[in-house]
Amino acid sequence: MTGQGNNMKNIRIAFLSCLILLTCLTSLALPSLASAGSTNISGTIPLTVSNVKALNVTIITADISWQTNGDATSQVFYDTVSHTNTADYAFHSAINSTLVSDHNVLLTSLSPDTTYYYRVKSVAVIGGIAFTAVSEEYIFKTEPPNMVKVTADPQTKVYGSTDPIPFTYSCDIPEVTFTGNLSRTPGGNAGTYPINQGDLSAGPEYLIEYTGANLTITPAPLTVTAAAKSKVYGASDPPLTYVATGFVNGDTSIILTGSLSRAS
């Protein structure tokens, strides 16, 4: 009986030792799991993504939100065409390494009135093991741009003078801030030249409805003074000469055509 009692005692001691060891290992593992904030993720419970939404979609921005079943990183992949793999998307947000379970990523510099396809991605690292979750593909469409009417003002100048730039214009929404300038069809001779939109822009939030005008180049005044002439009755007329002044733009009297005449 003594031998059997000792054996039973040894078994109980061994069992208690194993139980204590298991408790210690569990207590060591739990803090590392809790520190990642991913208490719902394990080797048998994968990281999952849910409630993916595009919120507050504007002309050029969109808030992408989603949830995970544990704290993880945040990243969005997006494009104007559909893809199966995240590596194929033309655009992606920077990785937000802050570990959260409620995710929000603001997409900016989007194109107005455009359909975007997107997927969200989150990664949690627990005990040196990376858990990754990628959503299915979702769609949102940005708002169409606002319309602003721009009307160019007619302009005039005298041949040889500089253009009255910048060309002026009016718009129906005074608070809009414009960049760039109107331009005109090239040419320097007297005549009319269309004033075009050029690189005038109201930014991505506005689409310009443009109404053009013309730059009219009027002739420069040229003074021609005839030289006094005389002849004896019956003789042939002398050459009729003149002095021309007022040339501009590098022109000279060589551009003049025709000749003077006299009264009969």
Side-chain angles (χ1 to χ4, degrees):
M1 286 294 292
T2 303
Q4 291 179 348
N6 289 334
N7 288 338
M8 291 299 294
K9 181 178 181 181
N10 291 335
I11 291 172
R12 285 195 296 270
I13 292 173
F15 176 76
L16 290 173
S17 297
C18 291
L19 184 61
I20 292 171
L21 178 61
L22 180 61
T23 302
C24 291
L25 292 174
T26 303
S27 66
L28 289 173
L30 286 177
S32 63
L33 192 64
S35 65
S38 302
T39 55
N40 294 326
I41 307 169
S42 69
T44 58
I45 303 177
L47 179 67
T48 58
V49 169
S50 61
N51 298 325
V52 180
K53 299 176 183 178
L55 304 172
N56 304 317
V57 179
T58 69
I59 299 171
I60 57 173
T61 64
D63 285 314
I64 307 301
S65 68
W66 69 97
Q67 294 176 323
T68 51
N69 59 327
D71 291 350
T73 61
S74 309
Q75 189 174 26
V76 179
F77 296 81
Y78 58 104
D79 203 343
T80 56
V81 293
S82 176
H83 297 290
T84 302
N85 300 315
T86 55
D88 296 328
Y89 286 81
F91 312 100
H92 61 80
S93 65
I95 298 175
N96 187 339
S97 58
T98 302
L99 302 178
V100 295
S101 58
D102 291 312
H103 304 261
N104 185 274
V105 173
L106 177 63
L107 304 182
T108 60
S109 301
L110 302 175
S111 298
D113 199 20
T114 301
T115 297
Y116 284 91
Y117 301 82
Y118 71 100
R119 296 176 188 268
V120 302
K121 178 180 178 180
S122 291
V123 178
V125 178
I126 302 173
I129 301 175
F131 295 82
T132 302
V134 178
S135 73
E136 61 183 277
E137 190 173 67
Y138 293 85
I139 299 175
F140 70 85
K141 185 176 182 180
T142 51
E143 294 293 323
N146 300 304
M147 297 294 297
V148 57
K149 294 181 179 180
V150 172
T151 303
D153 298 325
Q155 305 288 340
T156 61
K157 75 165 188 171
V158 176
Y159 170 75
S161 62
T162 58
D163 282 3
I165 54 176
F167 297 121
T168 58
Y169 53 87
S170 61
C171 73
D172 63 339
I173 307 178
E175 60 269 22
V176 174
T177 300
F178 292 90
T179 60
N181 293 286
L182 303 182
S183 62
R184 73 170 179 91
T185 300
N189 293 330
T192 58
Y193 299 86
I195 299 174
N196 309 308
Q197 183 175 334
D199 63 353
L200 186 72
S201 172
E205 295 88 355
Y206 290 91
L207 185 64
I208 293 178
E209 182 180 326
Y210 179 73
T211 301
N214 290 324
L215 167 68
T216 301
I217 301 179
T218 60
L222 187 65
T223 301
V224 176
T225 304
K229 300 292 182 177
S230 64
K231 75 168 187 172
V232 175
Y233 174 75
S236 300
D237 283 0
L240 302 178
T241 60
Y242 57 85
V243 175
T245 59
F247 291 104
V248 295
N249 209 31
D251 293 335
T252 64
S253 59
I254 196 173
I255 67 171
L256 298 179
T257 59
S259 58
L260 301 181
S261 64
R262 70 175 182 88
S264 301

